[in-house]
Structure formats: structure tokens, C-alpha cells
Amino acid sequence: MELWNISAIDQHAHNLLQPEAITRYPYAAAFSEAHHTDIINYHARHTLFYRRSLRDMADLLKCEPQESEILAKRDNLGLENLTKTCFNAANLDTILLDDGFLPEEILPWQWHQQFVGVKRLLRIENLAQNLIPQVNSFAEFWERFRAEIDPPPPEVVGFKSIAAYRTGLEIQPVNIELAKSQFNAIKKITGEKPPRLNNKPLIDFLVIQTLEVAAKHKIPIQFHTGIGDPDLDLRLSNPLHLRFLLEDNRFRNAPIVLLHASYPYTREAGYLASVYPNVYIGFGLVIPSLSVAGMRCVVRELMELAPISKLMYSSDAHLIPDLYYLGAKWGRKVLGEVLDESVKDGDLTVKEAEEIAVDILRRNACNIYHL
Ligand SMILES: [Zn+2]
């Protein structure tokens, strides 16, 4: 099934790097979640993702599939023309940008509007970190935090939490006295610069505050789940840890989006989406960074159990525009193949499969983010 003509919504990605910042990262760094130089400088060039992507980018840029040739072509085009080439080939309608990743090094979300529709995702841990040096008391901190999210700025269509990276997804209710004492302890050691927030009671408190607001306005909240860079303890990013939040009826109106197909906890994510009405799943990062067989397997595993109405395309593209194109290319191709299999198996009719492709590539995101 060919899905190129469906203009997709990429419901989770990140801003591109400023041209000055790009030179600080080797090309292969965009194809790896690792930090260690031995991986970035050597092993990252030995993944199936990198090898396949060189040929994809060479085809797009009309050059030889060698890193040096591709880099020369990219340099020649310049960032704006390269971005235009990648976005046009990706056939994207709208992208949802989490601008909390490398905030000092990225281009603002507005810059991306010259190529594609853009909405913002507000990363709550960054908001809290930035507020801490600006306030004098917990009461002021709490009030300012609530004011920023209730309601959020007009361009914001969802919240994002990286609790998985910092203190894990086993988020529990926290009483206000404990949150206050933790805030005071952090405040004591914070100078002018925002601290790195990694205090479990305070993060749990802020996530629950955000969920209340999300439920009130029916705004989705995205959670990082599954794989990421080594800052993450993968054991704590299993979405099954979210049980307390999922069981709590106060948050039933807040759509909860599990990012990265929760890989390798993909079947766990599919199960959660099948039993909790407000759980949704995004594909990004595993698409396009696994082998083709791996991507096919993830989409298959999600569709084994999860309702189709719960699945959404995303790329988790970051740093360079190439990843937007590679995500869109492989997201469509793999989804088309898995839908073809479902037709062959008798799970779906051709007409149903065609409808589902539109649902996953754009309609479900339009509905839950009110685009
Ligand atoms: Zn992301």
C-alpha cells in the first residue's frame, strides 16, 4: 500500500540545531542516542540505521552514498534549502515540537514555520527548572508554574514530561508539605542558573499538577517511555509503572501519549492502550532508527492488541532535517506493509486499511491535539 500522498502529522519531534551548533556534532551523532565518543566516532557508523540512511540521503540529494559526499551536498545547499528539501520530500502537514531538548542550541519553533505547520509541546521539567532561580518561595513557584500551564500559551497543543529520564515513571501522589520541603532544599543550593531537576517528590508533584490541568482542558501529555540516551535508566521507563496515574479517574480526560512505542516495552504499551481509554502511543524514534525488520515488528506488535484509534505517527526527529525525511519515508513504508499483511490475513478489508493509514498518519493526532 503506497501512502506517499497522505500529508502526515509528526506528533513528536524536536527543533533543528542552529547552524553554529551543527558543527559541534559529527553527522553520525544524529543516528545514535549514545554520548560516548567511541560510539559516536566509530560504532554509530556500523548500525543498519546509519548504513540504510546514507543510501536514502544519497538518493534524495542525488549523490554517492558516502558520508563525505552527502556532507558536501548538504553544505552546498545550506540549512534552509536542505530543510526545504527534506520537509518537501517528507510530505508533512504539521509538526509538534518539544523545544525542551538542547534549548541553548536549537532554532526557535517559529523558524520552522517557513517550511511546515508548527505547534509546540511544553516540557514541564524545563519550565520548572527555569522558574526556580526566578522565585523566592514555594508558593510563588507553584503559582507561576500553574499560571504558565493553565491555560498554556496558544501555540501549545500538548505537555511533555521527561520524568522517565530523571526519576522514573512510577509517579505517586505527593503532599504539598513534602513538595515544599524538597523545593526549599533545591532552592538553597541553586544560584542564578536553573538547577537540573532530579528530585522525585517534586517531579511527581509537578506531573500530577500538570495532569489536573491537562484533564481540565483535555490537553494531551506526552511521556517519554522506552529507549533514550544513557541518561535514562531503562528499567524505570517501562510504561507499566504509570499504573497509579492510569487508575486515577481524576486524570481520565487527559490523553496520555506514550512516546517511542515504549520500545522495547512495545507490547506492554499496546496492552495499556487497549484497556485505558486515555492512553495513546506514538511511533517516533523506533521509526526510523531500527532496522526495517525491527520497525515492521514494532508496528505489528502495536497493532496486535491496541485499537487503531490509539496509534499515531511521529519521528522524534532532532538536530538535523534529514531525520524528518527518514522518519516519514520509513513510517509510511512500514505502515503500508503491515496494513497489507493485515489485509492478506483477513484482519482488515482494503478499504479499512486505507482508512486506518489516514488515521495513524494524521487523523488521530488531529483529533486528540485538536489541530
Ligand atoms: Zn523526543
Side-chain angles (χ1 to χ4, degrees):
M1 189 175 290
E2 279 290 332
L3 308 179
W4 273 109
N5 54 340
I6 303 169
S7 177
I9 290 172
D10 191 340
Q11 62 97 40
H12 175 87
H14 301 273
N15 307 40
L16 300 178
L17 284 174
Q18 297 160 8
E20 313 82 80
I22 288 173
T23 51
R24 289 198 280 272
Y25 296 88
Y27 190 57
F31 297 86
S32 170
E33 290 290 310
H35 296 162
H36 198 285
T37 48
D38 288 354
I39 305 270
I40 301 293
N41 293 332
Y42 178 73
H43 297 290
R45 291 188 175 84
H46 298 268
T47 62
L48 304 194
F49 175 35
Y50 175 81
R51 298 289 174 91
R52 182 185 73 228
S53 299
L54 281 192
R55 287 191 302 278
D56 285 340
M57 289 310 297
D59 278 349
L60 180 69
L61 302 176
K62 300 185 178 62
C63 64
E64 289 301 308
Q66 282 155 11
E67 190 179 304
S68 56
E69 299 275 320
I70 291 166
L71 289 179
K73 269 276 182 180
R74 291 167 89 263
D75 267 358
N76 237 327
L77 282 168
L79 182 61
E80 290 190 9
N81 282 325
L82 174 67
T83 307
K84 197 183 291 174
T85 304
C86 291
F87 276 109
N88 285 348
N91 189 17
L92 296 172
D93 175 289
T94 304
I95 59 175
L96 274 49
L97 290 180
D98 164 11
D99 50 8
F101 180 60
L102 304 174
E104 314 289 310
E105 295 184 288
I106 54 173
L107 291 156
W109 64 270
Q110 294 93 333
W111 181 87
H112 304 73
Q113 284 178 309
Q114 57 187 308
F115 311 105
V116 64
V118 183
K119 299 285 179 191
R120 242 186 98 209
L121 302 161
L122 194 158
R123 193 187 280 205
I124 59 172
E125 290 82 2
N126 288 42
L127 170 63
Q129 286 176 178
N130 291 333
L131 282 176
I132 291 171
Q134 299 175 32
V135 296
N136 294 313
S137 67
F138 177 71
E140 190 188 349
F141 170 71
W142 188 16
E143 194 191 306
R144 294 259 315 259
F145 182 83
R146 287 289 292 224
E148 295 280 348
I149 63 168
D150 186 9
E155 74 278 5
V156 169
V157 295
F159 300 115
K160 157 83 187 284
S161 170
I162 54 161
Y165 263 102
R166 297 294 171 81
T167 50
L169 290 176
E170 204 172 342
I171 293 158
Q172 297 288 341
V174 174
N175 73 50
I176 188 144
E177 285 311 313
L178 178 58
K180 185 178 169 180
S181 69
Q182 301 296 310
F183 171 86
N184 288 338
I186 295 168
K187 187 71 187 156
K188 224 180 219 163
I189 51 170
T190 304
E192 303 274 287
K193 280 189 106 183
R196 181 186 146 85
L197 189 60
N198 58 2
N199 178 295
K200 180 160 167 53
L202 195 55
I203 289 178
D204 288 6
F205 177 81
L206 295 171
V207 168
I208 288 176
Q209 294 294 311
T210 307
L211 274 161
E212 281 175 10
V213 173
K216 176 173 149 192
H217 297 287
K218 297 193 167 68
I219 298 171
I221 174 165
Q222 301 184 345
F223 282 96
H224 178 100
T225 65
I227 52 168
D229 65 54
D231 204 14
L232 177 89
D233 182 341
L234 185 60
R235 293 168 296 184
L236 303 178
S237 72
N238 184 330
L240 296 180
H241 286 307
L242 289 169
R243 181 169 167 82
F244 165 76
L245 301 184
L246 302 179
E247 282 290 314
D248 193 324
N249 273 327
R250 283 180 300 162
F251 311 136
R252 209 25 71 80
N253 286 330
I256 289 176
V257 182
L258 309 176
L259 297 174
H260 317 318
S262 302
Y263 183 87
Y265 309 112
T266 304
R267 282 182 162 143
E268 285 85 339
Y271 163 71
L272 294 175
S274 77
V275 292
Y276 292 106
N278 53 334
V279 171
Y280 297 82
I281 305 170
F283 289 179
L285 190 58
V286 286
I287 288 174
S289 69
L290 301 185
S291 68
V292 175
M295 293 189 279
R296 215 182 275 130
C297 183
V298 163
V299 174
R300 256 190 218 132
E301 285 189 355
L302 290 176
M303 291 196 356
E304 283 173 11
L305 185 59
I308 301 304
S309 46
K310 302 299 202 102
L311 305 179
M312 292 181 285
Y313 170 72
S314 49
S315 66
D316 200 44
H318 53 286
L319 307 179
I320 55 171
D322 315 41
L323 296 172
Y324 278 96
Y325 166 67
L326 297 169
K329 171 174 176 170
W330 289 101
R332 285 193 182 84
K333 196 163 159 48
V334 165
L335 178 61
E337 287 172 6
V338 174
L339 288 171
D340 283 339
E341 290 170 1
S342 304
V343 171
K344 212 164 126 222
D345 288 341
D347 283 332
L348 298 170
T349 66
V350 171
K351 191 164 183 314
E352 283 169 335
E354 284 168 358
E355 287 281 309
I356 286 167
V358 179
D359 289 343
I360 292 177
L361 287 171
R362 58 173 296 128
R363 202 151 39 205
N364 293 341
C366 281
N367 290 340
I368 82 153
Y369 296 97
H370 315 289
L371 300 175

